[in-house]
Amino acid sequence: MNVVKVGMADLNVARSPDKIRTIGLGSCVGITLYDHVAKIGGMAHIMLPSASLVKEGLNPAKFADTAIPVLIDRLVRMGVDRRRLIAKIAGGAQMFPFAGASDIMRIGPRNVEACKQALKNAGIPLHAEDTGGNWGRTLEMDCMTGKLEVKSFNRGVKLI
Amino acid sequence: MKRTKNIFGELQLDVLREIGNIGSGHATTALAQLTGKPIEMMAPTARILDFNEVANLAGGPEAVVVTVYLRVIGDLKGSMFFTLSDDLAKQLLETLLASSPVENKFSEMEISALNEIGNILIGSYLSALVDLTQLNAQPSVPSLAVDMAGAILSIGLIELSQTSDFAIAIDTSFLDGQKALEGHFFFMPDPHSIEKVFTSLGVPFDECS
């Protein structure tokens, strides 16, 4: 069993019995897609809602609206049936509660909304989420089961 | 304008290190005055880092750190972090408030004290920069978090991530004389602000591509 790592603004795929993990998510959102028959899953760690926010979209894994289609393509090439894919998301915290918060400070909730919209556009059902709050999260999906473990400092471990 | 990792030469990085040196020097003096203890400052580093390398500066993405964060706004924009270990945070609170948090649960008073410490230190860092560059810059209200370094420092990357895939980080570590209690100051200027800093200091700046 290996643990496949996903960095910030990165995405990757794995098959059973491997796990796939991303660590220290704050306002970023981790998205997992999973096919329970093929037992193959993918994860993206996005930072921003939309590639249209920037003048040059350098890295598609950085944005909710571009990461999800790329992740689906990668999974389909590994042999999943995209009609079986289900999604889970976690993260999107607001780490620092500033008074008079700018758009950047509210980026967590905006990332969550953008992920939901992108999943909807791709026709993938969202089965679970653990989003919001003001704490960081580490995610690990088990490709054997599709269970997503969400670990936080001071808040224990949650399986979604 | 495409920004790549070799955007700066050695001269520019030297200038950024010197900025870190002056800013952190002031902040470290303020910290020593607050605690009444000798605080040792390491030589600052200025680096161009991939996003994933940034959290490694503070001990790795999952390392739990006590961090005061504020945004710098004005001509000079960027994010500033004052990051310290649990132990150092507790020691500061013992010195200043004669109180000791239980298992990383800081009380309102303790949070407020740490915020104020961060505010003073980051403020003295920033005022040194303003004096040096004659640029206009104001700090936002400071905010405190105790959490994973990756989750905290990524906030400083969000703004940058709209225009580039790397961050400029000026990092200074400091140690309390006797024990290996660590803390860091990070200054992550927004890319456009760096050009203003160089211009104000008369440093040649030819962007490589």
Side-chain angles (χ1 to χ4, degrees):
Chain A
M1 194 271 288
N2 291 315
V3 178
V4 174
K5 289 185 180 139
V6 177
M8 199 181 293
D10 185 19
L11 56 82
N12 220 326
V13 291
R15 65 172 79 231
S16 176
D18 290 353
K19 293 180 175 182
I20 186 162
R21 176 198 289 165
T22 196
I23 53 183
L25 280 167
S27 57
C28 298
V29 175
I31 308 150
T32 64
L33 301 181
Y34 183 68
D35 174 348
H36 73 284
V37 175
K39 296 196 185 298
I40 292 172
M43 185 184 280
H45 178 148
I46 63 110
M47 299 182 79
L48 290 167
S50 164
S52 68
L53 283 177
V54 295
K55 284 152 200 118
E56 44 182 318
L58 297 170
N59 170 10
K62 193 151 66 177
F63 311 100
D65 61 345
T66 47
I68 288 171
V70 171
L71 191 58
I72 294 169
D73 278 355
R74 288 275 301 271
L75 289 166
V76 167
R77 274 188 272 135
M78 279 184 79
V80 312
D81 182 341
R82 68 170 287 163
R83 288 167 302 183
R84 279 196 305 257
L85 284 175
I86 57 143
K88 294 178 184 178
I89 61 173
Q94 188 170 345
M95 299 299 295
F96 293 96
F98 280 171
S102 67
D103 271 3
I104 287 297
M105 291 300 110
R106 281 202 65 257
I107 199 75
R110 285 170 56 214
N111 276 337
V112 171
E113 275 316 302
C115 286
K116 288 181 179 172
Q117 189 58 49
L119 288 167
K120 207 169 166 185
N121 294 348
I124 296 176
L126 179 64
H127 272 217
E129 70 173 294
D130 179 51
T131 58
N134 60 350
W135 54 89
R137 295 166 170 92
T138 282
L139 311 184
E140 186 174 281
M141 181 167 70
D142 186 340
C143 291
M144 202 117 78
T145 61
K147 286 276 182 202
L148 182 63
E149 185 190 89
V150 183
K151 211 163 62 176
S152 311
F153 167 67
N154 264 350
R155 285 173 187 271
V157 177
K158 200 164 157 182
L159 268 184
I160 63 170
Chain B
M1 185 163 51
K2 186 164 169 63
R3 296 175 174 280
T4 57
K5 231 181 155 181
N6 59 358
I7 177 170
F8 300 130
E10 264 315 300
L11 170 66
Q12 283 78 22
L13 288 177
D14 269 347
V15 169
L16 295 180
R17 264 191 290 272
E18 189 51 26
I19 285 171
N21 215 354
I22 293 166
S24 308
H26 283 237
T28 306
T29 306
L31 183 59
Q33 281 166 356
L34 272 176
T35 57
K37 290 182 178 173
I39 302 284
E40 197 181 329
M41 184 180 102
M42 308 288 134
T45 58
R47 279 177 286 192
I48 318 282
L49 299 168
D50 287 334
F51 290 164
N52 287 295
E53 294 170 322
V54 170
N56 291 337
L57 294 177
E62 264 189 318
V64 172
V65 288
V66 179
T67 302
V68 178
Y69 163 68
L70 56 78
R71 272 296 288 173
V72 178
I73 44 180
D75 291 334
L76 180 59
K77 291 192 182 69
S79 293
M80 277 196 182
F81 298 90
F82 169 60
T83 293
L84 59 173
S85 64
D86 268 12
D87 285 346
L88 185 52
K90 283 176 193 159
Q91 193 182 310
L92 281 174
L93 292 172
E94 276 162 21
T95 309
L96 296 173
L97 294 182
S99 80
S100 183
V102 185
E103 295 191 353
N104 303 320
K105 299 263 192 228
F106 294 102
S107 68
E108 290 267 310
M109 179 58 117
E110 287 160 348
I111 287 172
S112 159
L114 288 170
N115 251 325
E116 193 45 37
I117 293 167
N119 199 18
I120 291 168
L121 301 186
I122 297 177
S124 61
Y125 191 125
L126 187 60
S127 68
L129 288 195
V130 167
D131 285 349
L132 183 71
T133 58
Q134 300 293 309
L135 291 171
N136 156 293
Q138 299 100 32
S140 73
V141 176
S143 199
L144 181 96
V146 183
D147 213 308
M148 294 184 267
I152 288 174
L153 296 181
S154 63
I155 273 290
L157 302 175
I158 296 280
E159 182 82 40
L160 303 173
S161 67
Q162 301 187 37
T163 48
S164 71
D165 284 326
F166 61 85
I168 301 147
I170 304 170
D171 168 29
T172 315
S173 309
F174 56 88
L175 297 172
D176 164 304
Q178 295 107 12
K179 295 183 208 157
L181 296 176
E182 268 205 31
H184 299 270
F185 293 103
F186 294 107
F187 177 36
M188 288 192 229
D190 290 359
H192 286 294
S193 290
I194 283 290
E195 295 164 22
K196 288 183 184 156
V197 168
F198 287 148
T199 307
S200 76
L201 296 175
V203 177
F205 175 61
D206 297 320
E207 199 173 3
C208 316
S209 58

